[in-house]
Amino acid sequence: MVFDFVSWFLGRRDKPRSKDLAKERLKVVLTHDRVDISPQMFEKLRRDLAIACAKYVEIDEAAMSVRLDSQDRRLALIASVPVLGTKATAYSSKRRGKMG
Amino acid sequence: MNGKVMVVTSGKGGVGKTTAVANIGCALARRGKKVALVDADIGLRNLDIVLGLENRIVFDIIHAMEGRCRLRQALIKDKRVQTLYLLPAAQSKDKEAIQPEQMKQLTGELRDQFDYVILDCPAGIERGFKNAIVGADDAIIITTPEVSAVRDADRIVGLLEAEGIEKPKLVINRIRPDMVKRGDMLDIDDVLDILAIDLLGVVPDDESVITSTNKGEPAVLDGASRAGEAFRRIAARLEGEDVPFLSMEAPTFWGRIKRFLGAAR
């Protein structure tokens, strides 16, 4: 308690401001309210997205993140998909093999 | 006359809808506009007591809709502000007693006689809400800087858009400058950032609203009330004036003294 008072007196602010928590929580909940998509549907979307990406590049599905974001009442799907390697080399060598 | 029909709504209850309707309406009437305030909260009559007109009700909105009296007879004329009228809610019926078509017809009739028709919408998003918005051209959304009120306001924006009421305007009520300064209350920019709609006004949390409600005199009639000043500015903006938003800085000691002297003058 004495420490709290001293940090308050010195004007230290390591504690997160409660309004920042309010804003963050609201942003997340409103984005999902607005799009009105069930967690099951969202998981299906994530899975399909992973499958689609994996057709072209080698991805790290476990580390992939997909989320909804909104700005000015417009929604965006933000996906971050770590790429382990391209399949371009494998693709072209196969083609070459066929030609030969 | 071809007046404007506006609905004041919030989703969540208890954020100050009725107070806002009374004050915005009163402020517009004081500017010389002919204003009809409609209490659309059937079964939970409140606007009359906030305005101090509770002892003058003979007929109500349901009587007028069912043709048991003329619309003119149900409208109560305010004695303080000559161009202000109230159409009270029925206390004995419930929200199911009104059909959307009846409401549309009623607002249409009022529009011909008034510059502004302002509807006090019930809380919630059910029948009462749908009835209140059916005849409205514009909407004013009231919120407070709290997570529950802001979330409900966002839902209302979506529902209004679905009903063809685009671009609702926002009033942020009960702002506490001291808490905003400490970072313990969402500030104006936070709320606007989240809701992304146009701002119509900001109203500080002000004890004078409670005392004026106790007396049945809207705060806009009290020259010293900060909230009253905020509502007067909202009325000016509705009239197309470009007035600055009321400062939400926490008042300093000298600021308080200056304000006291200003009010006494």
Side-chain angles (χ1 to χ4, degrees):
Chain A
M1 204 186 132
V2 174
F3 178 73
D4 278 352
F5 177 77
V6 171
S7 9
W8 171 81
F9 191 76
L10 296 174
R12 279 168 58 174
R13 281 177 201 186
D14 354 65
K15 259 200 249 169
R17 299 180 303 171
S18 71
K19 76 138 185 178
D20 295 331
L21 284 173
K23 195 173 177 185
E24 216 35 63
R25 290 172 58 223
L26 263 172
K27 276 193 157 175
V28 172
V29 81
L30 288 189
T31 301
H32 282 90
D33 282 357
R34 284 174 191 168
V35 74
D36 195 21
I37 187 170
S38 70
Q40 292 83 356
M41 267 318 250
F42 196 75
E43 178 51 31
K44 201 168 172 310
L45 168 70
R46 197 195 67 83
R47 187 80 196 104
D48 284 354
L49 206 58
I51 293 168
C53 292
K55 272 188 199 166
Y56 304 93
V57 285
E58 200 181 317
I59 65 162
D60 180 2
E61 201 187 326
M64 157 181 182
S65 95
V66 181
R67 64 186 175 86
L68 284 161
D69 198 4
S70 67
Q71 201 144 37
D72 292 338
R73 307 200 71 80
R74 261 190 288 249
L75 285 161
L77 191 65
I78 314 277
S80 169
V81 188
V83 177
L84 298 172
T86 60
K87 288 184 176 174
T89 43
Y91 223 52
S92 50
S93 66
K94 216 187 271 171
R95 280 178 106 186
R96 231 177 279 134
K98 259 186 198 168
M99 282 201 305
Chain B
M1 210 178 276
N2 190 18
K4 202 175 240 183
V5 182
M6 298 189 295
V7 61
V8 175
T9 180
S10 67
K12 187 179 179 299
V15 298
K17 271 186 304 293
T18 302
T19 310
V21 170
N23 279 290
I24 295 171
C26 200
L28 284 167
R30 289 227 315 179
R31 298 172 64 95
K33 297 291 159 183
K34 212 175 161 204
V35 180
L37 304 182
V38 180
D39 191 346
D41 201 347
I42 314 298
L44 293 169
R45 179 194 280 171
N46 266 333
L47 188 52
D48 57 330
I49 196 158
V50 170
L51 283 164
L53 300 173
E54 69 275 17
N55 293 326
R56 298 193 33 217
I57 299 175
V58 181
F59 298 110
D60 60 43
I61 187 170
I62 301 276
H63 292 134
M65 274 180 178
E66 290 177 346
R68 286 156 64 189
C69 70
R70 284 203 214 129
L71 183 54
R72 199 158 44 87
Q73 291 175 292
L75 285 163
I76 301 165
K77 190 179 192 316
D78 191 282
K79 282 179 178 152
R80 297 155 299 198
V81 191
Q82 294 298 313
T83 52
L84 183 66
Y85 292 78
L86 167 71
L87 182 58
Q91 186 71 314
S92 56
K93 302 264 176 122
D94 65 28
K95 293 176 180 71
E96 309 295 313
I98 296 183
Q99 295 296 323
E101 303 77 55
Q102 289 177 297
M103 200 65 181
K104 214 169 176 175
Q105 203 196 329
L106 181 90
T107 48
E109 272 178 57
L110 287 170
R111 184 199 296 277
D112 293 338
Q113 301 166 37
F114 291 89
D115 295 305
Y116 289 95
V117 179
I118 306 177
L119 293 130
D120 186 9
C121 179
I125 52 172
E126 298 88 16
R127 181 75 165 268
F129 167 75
K130 294 201 169 118
N131 276 334
I133 66 168
V134 69
D137 310 312
D138 294 313
I140 296 173
I141 296 182
I142 312 282
T143 192
T144 58
E146 290 160 82
V147 287
S148 51
V150 173
R151 186 185 191 178
D152 287 1
D154 189 74
R155 186 104 167 81
I156 293 294
V157 174
L159 291 170
L160 288 169
E161 270 172 12
E163 296 293 326
I165 303 178
E166 306 274 340
K167 294 206 171 253
K169 293 191 177 80
L170 185 71
V171 171
I172 309 175
N173 198 14
R174 293 207 200 117
I175 298 172
R176 288 186 49 182
D178 53 331
M179 291 192 73
V180 170
K181 204 176 170 191
R182 287 203 304 269
D184 279 332
M185 182 176 265
L186 292 167
D187 64 28
I188 297 163
D189 290 333
D190 293 328
V191 178
L192 290 180
D193 188 24
I194 293 163
L195 292 177
I197 59 173
D198 291 342
L199 185 64
L200 177 64
V202 288
V203 185
D205 190 34
D206 184 353
E207 287 182 9
S208 74
V209 171
I210 297 175
T211 51
S212 66
T213 307
N214 287 344
K215 292 185 273 186
E217 285 169 9
V220 289
L221 298 177
D222 173 2
S225 164
R226 292 277 288 163
E229 174 60 21
F231 283 117
R232 284 192 291 273
R233 291 191 190 193
I234 288 172
R237 272 178 221 118
L238 286 171
E239 286 272 273
E241 276 181 37
D242 188 13
V243 284
F245 289 101
L246 196 64
S247 162
M248 290 293 134
E249 295 285 306
T252 58
F253 177 71
W254 287 111
R256 261 187 232 142
I257 290 185
K258 247 194 249 168
R259 194 186 304 157
F260 174 77
L261 293 173
R265 236 186 297 134

